[in-house]
Amino acid sequence: MPRPPLPAALALLLLIAPAAVSQPTDRFEALDVFELERAVDPRIAPDGEQIVYVRSGFDVMTDRPRTTLWILRRDGTDHRPLVVRDGSVSQPRWSPDGHRLAYVASNQGRAHIFVRWMDTGQEAPVAYLPHPPGDLSWSPDGRKIAFSMFVAEGEASVQPRMPAPPDGADWGPAITLIDRLTYRADGGGYLERGYRQLFVLPVEGGTPRQLTSGPYDHSGPLSWTPDGEHLIFSANRHPDGEMEPMNSEVYALHLVDGTITPLTERFGPDTSPAVSPDGRQIAYVGFDDRFQGYQVRQLYVMDRDGRNARSLTTGLDRSVSNPTWSADGRRIYFQYDTEGTTRVAYATLDGQVTDVAIDVGGLSVGRPYSGGQFSLAADGTVAFTYGTPYHPAEVAVTRAGQNMQRLTHLNEDVLGHRQLGEVEMFWYPSSHDGRRIQGWIIKPPGFDSTKTYPLILEIHGGPFANYGSRFAAELQLMAAAGYVVLYTNPRGSTSYGEAFGNLIHHAYPGHDYDDLMSGVDALIERGYIDEDRMFVTGGSGGGVLTAWIIGNTDRFRAAVVQKPVINWYSFVLYADNPAFFYRYWFPGPPWEHEAHYMARSPISLVGNVQTPTMLITGEVDYRTPIPETEQYYAALKLRGVEAAMVRVPDASHGIASRPSNLVAKVGYILAWFERYGSDAARK
């Protein structure tokens, strides 16, 4: 994709960011972040001959992501742009016969559904919509497209009697009344009144017909029955849905009379329905809810009427997602994480699971989180996002029993001449109970094991998430600055089974601290870490653990606590999903368990902290709201601990959604560590 020139303001930002200076030209640099690209949402045609994907990069002039659609053949040839528009494009979806392609184009807050005829290249908008559509799904006969979309509805339950202002009077902005439990969302701000509803649209164009209504959010993926008469979807349509946010069901909607019939009824989430090719069965994922912090989503299959539901993955002990039927209806493909790696597998109807693809991921540019996508052709070819520690997501294809073939090299122009830090995976025992913990080491370019290096312990969030052997721009910038970077999956991390994840159930933070410190000790034993130059940082759940660590030990020279929770009592009542957090992460509401909440809050240990500490949080973060950061900053200052607070304007929990914020975040972290004696840049 074209690389626009760097604006002067951004150039100044990078010049003052320590991560961007004093770097050899063969090392990964801050400016390289703006050049990175990812292959997203690869969609293989029904006949398996072509793949369309979203090519996602960054616009250095607007400091925002930019997306286009590209197409290539299954052997990687004929790679070319397909749709390039002002704004963004997303959700490419092949028609059942493979002759057309639907996609969404968005610009200046408006979104439209387009259909493209693949033989001629002609295309036309078939729907102009007031809100962005999602979950696009073609009907089996190719004549309709179903989708979901937010619909504004309802008024506040209380309306004051107000006199009309005189002509020309300015009475200030309108006053807002809030009467819902969930009234704001991280990344979405304060929520407009309304719900996500389902629609169906004639492919020839016209007015979308709304299929659902009521105070419920209806979600995809959307799956049609082969006769085109029913749409299968997931939603929480229970009267107490606001208080029981996990209790969704699979429903069948009859398109002629609008009848909605529940097909599942257990307490717990039932999501991602997929109808078998013959229409006789439905695959879906879910679990029986036991209010645990981490619960494994299993792959289920049931009869079309909801009877005879059974799990196909009881022996896997890993959460599954994205069930997709093979064309012959004998296999159900899905993806799952295991030991820090995402895979595509299939299950037969008797529960035999076989891996098809590994290293599925590369969607998280900043840090090595899981997250990948795949699609399936009628002949069994799988197109997927392929990621490694040395590049973000590329397009790859494979089939069961065959070797993977990588088709794209989107970042060769950026990374091909850069010397990245070598990533090494290792296992070590926890000092708490001897349990095996998985970790990764990133060594600085030009690493020499006879020398000693400063260490950065970087901790993932979640806490129910996982790091792995994946590309991480932030951590590579740290390695390029001369640090050895350690990241691990302590207890509570996903991809190791339900028991491992729930070792922190109602006990977080806790012995995950021991797992992290054991990783540091194991690395020190290798002889190349300078124990007097060790630093710690992490974001979200990693911010919690960073604050917990410096409340328990002073072995780190400095710390950067990113978007943390400091006081669980205030967090549960102030974050964007209170109905979930108090019930799944704690034994009950804070006023009934005050001692439990406080015992797990890093603020309770602030009296022990001596480590110089910087805090970084977005000002519109509603997941770990900035008052958490402000509490900790004030406490540290009152105690006389050296502290600084970085407030990122207009940033939600995902601070690095703007590439300049990613660069600035790393720049502040490295500047803070250099201030307190790393000397990394001079080593």
Side-chain angles (χ1 to χ4, degrees):
M1 300 174 74
R3 314 287 191 184
L6 185 70
L10 184 54
L12 178 61
L13 167 66
L14 297 177
L15 285 173
I16 65 174
V21 299
S22 303
Q23 304 291 354
T25 57
D26 65 340
R27 294 192 178 189
F28 187 62
E29 297 180 340
L31 277 175
D32 293 336
V33 171
F34 291 86
E35 308 299 320
L36 295 173
E37 296 184 82
R38 299 172 300 154
V40 179
D41 201 7
R43 292 284 165 168
I44 191 165
D47 63 5
E49 291 301 316
Q50 292 180 301
I51 301 163
V52 173
Y53 72 95
V54 178
R55 188 164 177 170
S56 177
F58 298 115
D59 186 337
V60 74
M61 301 301 293
T62 63
D63 195 22
R64 293 290 189 183
R66 65 177 187 273
T67 56
T68 54
L69 294 186
W70 283 60
I71 191 170
L72 71 166
R73 302 194 65 79
R74 67 185 295 170
D75 62 1
T77 61
D78 200 20
H79 188 204
R80 52 192 168 87
L82 183 69
V83 177
V84 179
R85 289 185 169 277
D86 291 336
S88 65
V89 291
S90 63
Q91 301 183 65
R93 298 295 182 267
W94 292 95
S95 63
D97 60 10
H99 295 163
R100 291 163 294 171
L101 186 80
Y103 67 90
V104 175
S106 302
N107 191 26
Q108 297 181 347
R110 298 297 302 273
H112 313 305
I113 298 176
F114 279 77
V115 169
R116 182 182 183 92
W117 282 257
M118 301 302 291
D119 57 348
T120 65
Q122 292 176 305
E123 60 180 27
V126 294
Y128 294 93
L129 303 171
H131 297 281
D135 307 310
L136 270 63
S137 179
W138 288 81
S139 63
D141 61 8
R143 298 175 61 185
K144 304 181 184 69
I145 295 175
F147 62 94
S148 65
M149 185 178 66
F150 175 83
V151 175
E153 58 184 56
E155 295 183 348
S157 57
V158 177
Q159 297 291 340
R161 294 189 179 94
M162 290 288 294
D167 291 342
D170 182 1
W171 285 11
I175 296 173
T176 301
L177 181 139
I178 294 171
D179 55 9
R180 294 178 62 183
L181 176 59
T182 302
Y183 59 90
R184 59 185 178 181
D186 185 69
Y190 283 77
L191 300 176
E192 184 181 358
R193 288 181 173 275
Y195 299 88
R196 198 158 194 89
Q197 307 293 355
L198 302 185
F199 293 80
V200 66
L201 168 75
V203 172
E204 293 82 2
T207 302
R209 177 165 65 97
Q210 185 172 332
L211 302 174
T212 60
S213 61
Y216 317 108
D217 286 314
H218 303 80
S219 63
L222 308 177
S223 186
W224 294 78
T225 55
D227 58 13
E229 293 185 0
H230 289 85
L231 198 62
I232 312 300
F233 65 94
S234 174
N236 185 341
R237 293 174 58 89
H238 298 288
D240 60 351
E242 190 172 42
M243 293 299 295
E244 302 288 358
M246 297 287 284
N247 190 25
S248 59
E249 310 293 351
V250 173
Y251 294 90
L253 185 152
H254 193 271
L255 271 75
V256 175
D257 61 17
T259 302
I260 296 176
T261 304
L263 302 180
T264 60
E265 60 181 6
R266 66 166 169 192
F267 185 80
D270 292 316
T271 64
S272 304
V275 181
S276 64
D278 63 8
R280 299 174 63 182
Q281 297 181 94
I282 298 174
Y284 62 102
V285 302
F287 55 79
D288 293 289
D289 196 349
R290 290 165 286 160
F291 300 110
Q292 293 179 162
Y294 177 58
Q295 301 177 84
V296 165
R297 296 185 305 273
Q298 298 186 34
L299 173 64
Y300 288 85
V301 65
M302 62 181 172
D303 294 345
R304 164 63 182 81
D305 60 5
R307 298 178 181 177
N308 300 318
R310 66 190 189 279
S311 173
L312 302 182
T313 56
T314 53
L316 183 60
D317 194 26
R318 299 291 189 269
S319 277
V320 306
S321 61
N322 192 21
T324 305
W325 288 88
S326 62
D328 61 9
R330 299 171 61 185
R331 300 172 175 178
I332 304 172
Y333 287 71
F334 60 92
Q335 67 186 57
Y336 72 101
D337 292 350
T338 185
E339 296 183 352
T341 302
T342 305
R343 301 183 178 187
V344 173
Y346 68 77
T348 58
L349 296 182
D350 61 0
Q352 298 298 312
V353 174
T354 302
D355 286 341
V356 176
I358 61 174
D359 295 326
V360 180
L363 299 182
S364 176
V365 170
R367 294 187 283 164
Y369 281 114
S370 62
Q373 298 163 319
F374 78 92
S375 61
L376 181 67
D379 66 355
T381 302
V382 173
F384 64 98
T385 57
Y386 170 63
T388 75
Y390 306 107
H391 62 78
E394 303 281 356
V395 178
V397 294
T398 191
R399 293 184 66 179
Q402 297 184 1
N403 292 329
M404 178 271 294
Q405 181 184 2
R406 177 178 172 179
L407 302 185
T408 63
H409 295 78
L410 303 183
N411 294 285
E412 191 67 23
D413 58 332
V414 183
L415 303 178
H417 61 286
R418 296 300 194 198
Q419 186 181 3
L420 294 175
E422 178 188 353
V423 180
E424 175 189 349
M425 187 275 288
F426 73 117
W427 293 83
Y428 61 91
S430 170
S431 62
H432 172 63
D433 55 10
R435 193 177 301 270
R436 294 175 74 238
I437 305 298
Q438 190 177 21
W440 290 262
I441 306 162
I442 305 182
K443 301 169 184 175
F447 174 79
D448 183 345
S449 62
T450 66
K451 298 181 180 180
T452 60
Y453 295 85
L455 169 70
I456 295 178
L457 170 63
E458 208 281 341
I459 309 169
H460 75 63
F464 303 107
N466 69 79
Y467 274 170
S469 298
R470 309 175 183 107
F471 183 77
E474 295 179 29
L475 278 56
Q476 285 289 349
L477 287 173
M478 294 173 184
Y483 294 84
V484 170
V485 182
L486 170 65
Y487 64 92
T488 80
N489 282 337
R491 65 192 62 212
S493 300
T494 58
S495 78
Y496 304 91
E498 189 166 295
F500 187 87
N502 280 303
L503 289 173
I504 63 169
H505 180 60
H506 294 176
Y508 165 72
H511 294 302
D512 38 3
Y513 166 84
D514 301 301
D515 299 346
L516 293 165
M517 293 302 98
S518 296
V520 172
D521 293 336
L523 195 50
I524 290 172
E525 290 178 2
R526 297 187 174 210
Y528 52 76
I529 298 300
D530 185 343
E531 292 187 63
D532 292 328
R533 294 187 294 149
M534 300 197 306
F535 306 86
V536 60
T537 187
S540 192
V544 174
L545 283 166
T546 302
W548 192 258
I549 285 170
I550 61 177
N552 279 281
T553 181
D554 60 359
R555 68 188 301 190
F556 295 96
R557 289 283 293 271
V560 177
V561 177
Q562 306 171 46
K563 50 190 181 183
V565 175
I566 296 301
N567 184 334
W568 289 110
Y569 199 120
S570 56
F571 163 80
V572 162
L573 301 177
Y574 197 64
D576 60 351
N577 196 355
F580 174 83
F581 292 122
Y582 92 95
R583 197 166 190 180
Y584 290 84
W585 288 11
F586 293 90
W591 54 88
E592 295 179 4
H593 302 274
E594 182 177 356
H596 181 93
Y597 276 73
M598 190 52 62
R600 292 167 53 188
S601 294
I603 196 69
S604 69
L605 301 177
V606 73
N608 302 335
V609 177
Q610 300 180 30
T611 307
T613 302
M614 172 180 280
L615 296 110
I616 303 177
T617 303
E619 290 190 330
V620 289
D621 186 334
Y622 295 129
R623 182 61 44 81
T624 55
I626 200 167
E628 295 293 314
T629 291
E630 293 167 335
Q631 289 180 63
Y632 201 56
Y633 175 74
L636 293 172
K637 283 294 189 180
L638 288 173
R639 289 201 59 253
V641 177
E642 295 179 79
M645 178 169 54
V646 177
R647 304 172 65 95
V648 186
D650 299 324
S652 60
H653 196 61
I655 292 175
S657 58
R658 283 179 177 264
S660 67
N661 285 348
L662 185 155
V663 170
K665 181 174 71 167
V666 177
Y668 274 112
I669 291 169
L670 294 180
W672 188 253
F673 291 167
E674 289 168 13
R675 177 177 179 179
Y676 291 99
S678 76
D679 294 326
R682 294 189 288 276
K683 292 293 179 181

